[in-house]
Amino acid sequence: MKSYSKILDGWFSEICPMWPGIALSLEIEKVLYSQKSKFQQIDMFQTKNHGKMLVLDGIIQLTQSDEFAYQEMLAHVPLFAHPNPETVLVIGGGDGGILREVNRHDCIKTIDFCEVDEDVINVCKEFLPDLACGFDDPRVNVHIADGNAFVKVQKNRYDIIIVDSSDPIGPGEALFEQPFYQSLKTALKPNGIIATQGESFFLHKECVINLIKITKNLFPVQAYSYFLVPTYPGGNIGICLGSLGPQLKKPCRDVTEKFQKQLKYYTPQIHEASFVMPYFATKMFESI
Ligand code: SPD
């Protein structure tokens, strides 16, 4: 599967068979970067109303106007569900947004960051320095490697693993399959938690069902959270979570006032609310 995104009359349209018949368009002011890396086409646009926008293989990864919602939720939901996360692995997310959020937790001692495409990191450091700001934290070890291969050889090592993948239509495809999830589980310490990019139950029903099936089979505690990101397909996206112990649906550590003030989307209330599903999704998940 590949995207057919295009720019027409100054508007970028995100067209992909993964969301047939629907496309988001953003008005573009300037192409800031456009190159093919070893793995994918990397584009950075200056949009008219939504800041800079990172696009990989024709698919929107983030815009400056709403990236905070995704990065905060994918990082802080699992991290605040764990009583004392000390070792963290982040797979994907070469833009550095998840890393920026993970680094806010002082209790964390080591963060392994694994991204397959070094060019994404470098382009984001150049054009999105406020986002790609976490790479120099002394707790961070950057590994330029395939996330699937990297995690396969890790055992009993991490309290939290966060997978910030692109969609399952390019280099990220294996990150939506059972063997990868088995490796994630093996790489966790007792009481560990995984959180993975979980697509949208409005537009990617089969994919979401499959992720929930996989995690339900592997983990004693499983849950799905969703939230709003206007520039993702359908305006929403989910997180698929699996835990070897802790409950997931409430933060189990205090979100201090100092911590809260750094954020724009995540709150303890939105943590809990993000697990409350619309009726059709509840029915859909019950049948799995
Ligand atoms: N449909 C796009 C899903 C993109 C998920 N990854 C975004 C990377 C942001 N750190």
Side-chain angles (χ1 to χ4, degrees):
M1 205 187 286
K2 65 187 202 90
S3 81
Y4 296 92
S5 299
K6 56 184 176 201
I7 299 181
L8 194 66
D9 295 334
W11 286 76
F12 169 88
S13 295
E14 186 193 49
I15 301 169
C16 180
M18 216 183 134
W19 40 92
I22 188 167
L24 179 74
S25 298
L26 287 100
E27 198 170 4
I28 301 301
E29 260 176 2
K30 201 172 170 188
V31 179
L32 299 169
Y33 181 94
S34 184
Q35 295 274 331
K36 215 172 171 59
S37 74
K38 224 162 88 187
F39 300 95
Q40 56 205 337
Q41 173 65 35
I42 304 175
D43 292 302
M44 186 71 73
F45 297 110
Q46 179 65 53
T47 70
K48 192 160 178 200
N49 306 98
H50 298 273
K52 290 178 192 146
M53 172 166 76
L54 172 68
V55 174
L56 299 179
D57 276 344
I59 305 297
I60 299 170
Q61 299 303 309
L62 61 90
T63 73
Q64 280 182 308
S65 70
D66 59 6
E67 56 82 13
F68 61 88
Y70 177 81
Q71 330 281 10
E72 288 184 19
M73 290 299 278
L74 185 52
H76 301 312
V77 169
L79 283 164
F80 275 117
H82 195 286
N84 184 29
E86 292 187 340
T87 48
V88 176
L89 168 63
V90 178
I91 295 177
D95 52 79
I98 295 294
L99 205 51
R100 178 191 67 195
E101 297 306 318
V102 171
N103 290 356
R104 297 192 200 281
H105 293 254
D106 292 336
C107 55
I108 296 174
K109 294 186 174 144
T110 319
I111 304 156
D112 280 341
F113 177 80
C114 179
E115 162 65 49
V116 71
D117 194 343
E118 194 170 14
D119 289 3
V120 174
I121 300 179
N122 293 333
V123 171
C124 291
K125 278 185 177 170
E126 183 179 347
F127 293 100
L128 298 166
D130 293 344
L131 186 77
C133 57
F135 292 97
D136 295 331
D137 186 305
R139 296 170 298 171
V140 175
N141 312 299
V142 177
H143 305 266
I144 303 300
D146 168 47
N148 193 18
F150 182 87
V151 77
K152 217 179 254 176
V153 292
Q154 313 296 335
K155 298 211 177 356
N156 193 18
R157 197 153 169 197
Y158 301 105
D159 295 311
I160 301 284
I161 303 178
I162 298 171
V163 183
D164 179 10
S165 64
S166 43
D167 299 309
I169 49 172
E173 210 168 334
L175 309 189
F176 288 77
E177 291 167 4
Q178 202 275 350
F180 175 67
Y181 277 82
Q182 179 60 63
S183 305
L184 294 179
K185 183 182 176 185
T186 308
L188 284 179
K189 285 184 180 167
N191 285 325
I193 296 174
I194 64 153
T196 64
Q197 194 269 91
E199 299 295 355
S200 160
F201 51 64
F202 276 99
L203 295 178
H204 315 121
K205 197 173 153 196
E206 261 176 48
C207 178
V208 174
I209 289 178
N210 189 42
L211 291 178
I212 292 177
K213 246 187 219 159
I214 293 172
T215 41
K216 268 195 175 168
N217 283 336
L218 285 172
F219 292 89
V221 184
Q222 190 280 338
Y224 187 89
S225 144
Y226 85 105
F227 48 93
L228 308 173
V229 184
T231 57
Y232 282 164
N236 69 95
I237 196 159
I239 311 173
C240 188
L241 294 120
S243 161
L244 294 178
Q247 292 305 307
L248 297 161
K249 297 186 180 179
K250 280 183 188 180
C252 74
R253 290 185 290 127
D254 271 355
V255 181
T256 61
E257 204 185 322
K258 186 172 161 226
F259 196 104
Q260 184 66 69
K261 279 190 173 150
Q262 302 170 54
L263 309 180
K264 290 200 222 166
Y265 194 100
Y266 179 90
T267 64
Q269 292 78 14
I270 212 135
H271 182 134
E272 286 190 49
S274 73
F275 290 97
V276 180
M277 296 293 125
Y279 187 58
F280 81 92
T282 309
K283 289 273 148 210
M284 182 171 127
F285 292 0
E286 269 171 13
S287 66
I288 299 171

